[in-house]
Amino acid sequence: MNLTSITSRNIPLRLTAVLFLAFSTVASLELLGQTVADPLASSGAATKPESNFRIESTQVAGGSEIITIFAKTSNSRAPGSETISEIPLVSLLRDTLADENPANDRLRYVWMLTYTKPSVWQKAAAIVPFLYRRTTNKNIDINAPPPPIADMHSGHNALWNSVLWAVFKRVVDDEFGMWPKVSAVQYRQNAMDYKRSSIAKVQAVLSLYEAAEGEKVWSDTELKNIQARLWLTGKTFGGAMQSENLERAYDKQFTATGDIRGHNWELLRQYSEAQGLYFEPLTLADGVARNAIVWAAVEDLAANKGRKFDKRFLNIKNPWDDPRLASWKGYSQVRWFDGENRIVDADTPNAKPKTMVPLALYGLDHPKIPILLVDFRDNGNAKRREISKRVLNDVLGNVLAISRFSSISYLLGRFVYDFATHRRGMDVNQESRLRSYTQLKTLLALDNSLDRGFRNEIAHRLENVSLNPLENNIDVEVALARRQYRNLIEYAKDPNGLPAKLDRDRRQEMVQFAHSGKERTLFDIAHTFSLGLYTHREQATPALATQLNVQRQLDYHERILKEIAYRSARPEVDSDTNALKRSLEFVSQNGAHATEKTTRSLAKIFAITGDENTRTLCLAGLFRIDNSSAKKELLAIYSNTNIANQWRNLCAQYLKRALVEGQRISAGDAVTIAGINQD
């Protein structure tokens, strides 16, 4: 269904004209890309993930290490150089505090080594309104270390950045007029898209690494945490998510994506076969079918001549009335079919050959419907869909300065438009498209299961759909990755480089031991509104270093207890009892500053376990935690007459000790405990 016709029936004429202007702009843009002719024999089938990765660890002075994922590839070539067989892709910094205790380790910076600071010319192109194409590449002769794509520990600035951006945009609009604001918005959108695409690349690489065979340097939990943090990067409240919820967030997103993918798989298959076409899922090196290809057989052209073609969900032109297919010069392959139109081996009796022509490649991760990523007969088709929502937002919001609340007519019209696109699942969701394009490009660069010519043709067409002036082509990205990895290692060896930055990060982490929550909030505000020029850090001392070590271990063990309390029905049966015991022992000895959520977790574990040692440690932990909630939980256990006397008596002893030691107890509970003391 046409979006213009939907809108024009539901909103006033003035708004219809505005929307028509937006879609007219889309139609008038110059489109890139030509068909690549490279006939080949066969695309091949997806193979089981191989160990095409190598992990390299580089020690950093001060107690940390850089872990880098190298990928083997035979199809990456830098301009003017020989074939590159291995490229560095992703690096992560693990702060180990210079010891062998994994409980105080902390993952910090993530580098996608193809992600780089844009050149001056790229920045200049990125501010040009309505320029939706790549113009130039970054010079690979750089000496600066790569910028991190994410900080796994610090993610609380997204909200303040959004507030600051809204204020800045308003000031620019009031003081300088429309066009400076349009340019600023254009650059910010390009920068955000560039970062989002790089995050999607990291996720694709980690997905491949997770699926590959061989020893893993990260546990499954760590990989899920990394993926979840990357997924939450840039979201307004994403950085505020507590660590114990990361694995659940990953599982929820993974399940939702799987459901969407399965729905789109079946939808595309049914509509393709209903039109006489052939559906094939595209499973690449990670073993996941994120994409699918729709084919047409040249031998079917005569039988389907003049057939009515329903392009709903396919979003391509009628192939049966296209004379180019009969004399197709692009990629094709021959497949053999039996009498029931099933693909068989060439030596199967009575098998008939058919020349298969690829029509379109789709992404299956888009909500509601499959999204068109490559139209092999019309490159402009995919690009128009890619920029449709972007142009509409730019024209209405930036050029015409129409906000949702500027007029009732626009508010109603935009509501109808958003409802229609969401309800119908129209593939104009740019963020979802961006992720699909980026991940497919990355997987193709690392995949050897497809025929090389077919893989190159798909990659070439994906490059032509690129909208962002800040991006670089695949060959330059490969060269940048190798150069930036060398720069990163040099940065790590420089005492004034990464080791100094790590020391500053630790001193910033020590602020929590010397200042209250309100003071830390003021420091965060000052950091944001000074554009990062001011960051409060403590002077490192042995005492603060010890506190940092203990606090990191406490965070680690608290997370284990929270996860067990959330997931377990009987800890001694369905949980790692050794890990549970270690965490309980640590909290019972060093848990004075544990959170109230940990307090509730200990009380729940006490209630659901039947192991006496576990129960004893839970009560010891509740005593050690110095907050009123912990003492309230002890008092509740003591007051429960259904609990055995041995546990009630132990609670009474801990409550008496807490009162004598002056631990934090509410006034009412203190009176009750004092009464226990008189018994």
Side-chain angles (χ1 to χ4, degrees), residues 503-521:
D503 178 68
R504 293 193 296 270
D505 291 338
R506 289 175 181 170
R507 291 193 289 113
Q508 185 178 352
E509 199 174 342
M510 292 174 183
V511 172
Q512 62 182 310
F513 309 125
H515 298 276
S516 66
K518 292 182 180 179
E519 292 173 327
R520 295 198 299 272
T521 300

Side-chain angles (χ1 to χ4, degrees), residues 15 25 77 93 106 136 146 171 176 199 251 267 270 277 280 286 316 334 369 503 523 586 609 623 676:
L15 182 58
T25 306
R77 182 184 294 275
L93 178 68
R106 177 158 286 173
T136 185
V171 170
F176 301 102
I199 289 174
D251 292 338
L267 185 67
Q270 290 183 10
L277 305 175
E280 180 186 24
D286 62 345
I316 56 175
V334 176
I369 67 168
D503 178 68
F523 293 150
F586 188 89
T609 186
F623 164 72
I676 296 173

Side-chain angles (χ1 to χ4, degrees), residues 53 69 90 110 112 149 195-211 223-233 235 250 253 286 290 365 431 434-436 438-439 442-443 446:
F53 294 96
I69 300 177
V90 176
V110 181
M112 182 66 203
I149 195 67
K195 187 172 184 178
R196 275 198 291 261
S197 68
S198 297
I199 289 174
K201 290 178 184 178
V202 176
Q203 292 175 316
V205 172
L206 291 178
S207 177
L208 283 169
Y209 172 74
E210 187 177 7
L223 282 170
K224 289 181 179 181
N225 292 346
I226 297 169
Q227 292 274 32
R229 279 295 184 204
L230 291 172
W231 176 65
L232 293 167
T233 298
K235 296 185 179 296
Y250 171 85
Q253 180 68 16
D286 62 345
R290 294 183 176 86
D365 290 349
E431 184 175 350
L434 181 68
R435 184 169 58 252
S436 295
T438 302
Q439 290 186 340
T442 303
L443 292 171
L446 303 177

Side-chain angles (χ1 to χ4, degrees), residues 179-394:
W179 289 110
K181 186 193 76 168
V182 172
S183 296
V185 171
Q186 180 83 358
Y187 182 83
R188 185 172 188 264
Q189 184 65 53
N190 285 329
M192 291 174 61
D193 288 347
Y194 182 39
K195 187 172 184 178
R196 275 198 291 261
S197 68
S198 297
I199 289 174
K201 290 178 184 178
V202 176
Q203 292 175 316
V205 172
L206 291 178
S207 177
L208 283 169
Y209 172 74
E210 187 177 7
E213 297 178 344
E215 184 179 356
K216 300 293 187 296
V217 70
W218 297 290
S219 65
D220 291 340
T221 298
E222 284 182 311
L223 282 170
K224 289 181 179 181
N225 292 346
I226 297 169
Q227 292 274 32
R229 279 295 184 204
L230 291 172
W231 176 65
L232 293 167
T233 298
K235 296 185 179 296
T236 303
F237 297 102
M241 179 170 286
Q242 297 174 326
S243 60
E244 66 270 14
N245 295 326
L246 289 175
E247 190 168 353
R248 294 198 291 274
Y250 171 85
D251 292 338
K252 181 179 179 180
Q253 180 68 16
F254 182 83
T255 301
T257 302
D259 292 342
I260 291 171
R261 195 175 293 148
H263 165 79
N264 286 336
W265 173 311
E266 188 60 23
L267 185 67
L268 186 62
R269 184 191 66 80
Q270 290 183 10
Y271 271 80
S272 300
E273 293 178 356
Q275 305 308 313
L277 305 175
Y278 297 83
F279 167 86
E280 180 186 24
L282 183 62
T283 305
L284 298 178
D286 62 345
V288 178
R290 294 183 176 86
N291 306 94
I293 302 178
V294 172
W295 304 78
V298 174
E299 288 74 10
D300 296 341
L301 290 176
N304 289 284
K305 184 69 175 178
R307 176 177 178 172
K308 183 179 179 181
F309 184 76
D310 183 3
K311 68 176 184 178
R312 186 182 181 188
F313 301 126
L314 298 176
N315 294 317
I316 56 175
K317 294 180 180 179
N318 186 352
W320 309 127
D321 294 335
D322 189 346
R324 291 177 297 174
L325 290 185
S327 56
W328 184 252
K329 302 300 182 181
Y331 176 82
S332 65
Q333 61 178 249
V334 176
R335 294 185 181 180
W336 297 79
F337 294 81
D338 62 13
E340 297 182 3
N341 213 30
R342 296 175 300 188
I343 297 178
V344 296
D345 294 333
D347 56 358
T348 301
N350 301 321
K352 296 182 179 179
K354 289 187 177 182
T355 302
M356 309 296 293
V357 174
L359 298 180
L361 187 149
Y362 298 84
L364 302 179
D365 290 349
H366 180 75
K368 303 292 185 180
I369 67 168
I371 54 174
L372 178 69
L373 299 180
V374 175
D375 186 338
F376 289 91
R377 295 176 296 157
D378 181 10
N379 279 346
N381 185 9
K383 185 151 188 172
R384 284 191 296 271
R385 295 177 179 278
E386 177 73 3
I387 64 177
S388 55
K389 188 175 182 180
R390 175 80 178 269
V391 172
L392 180 62
N393 290 336
D394 288 349

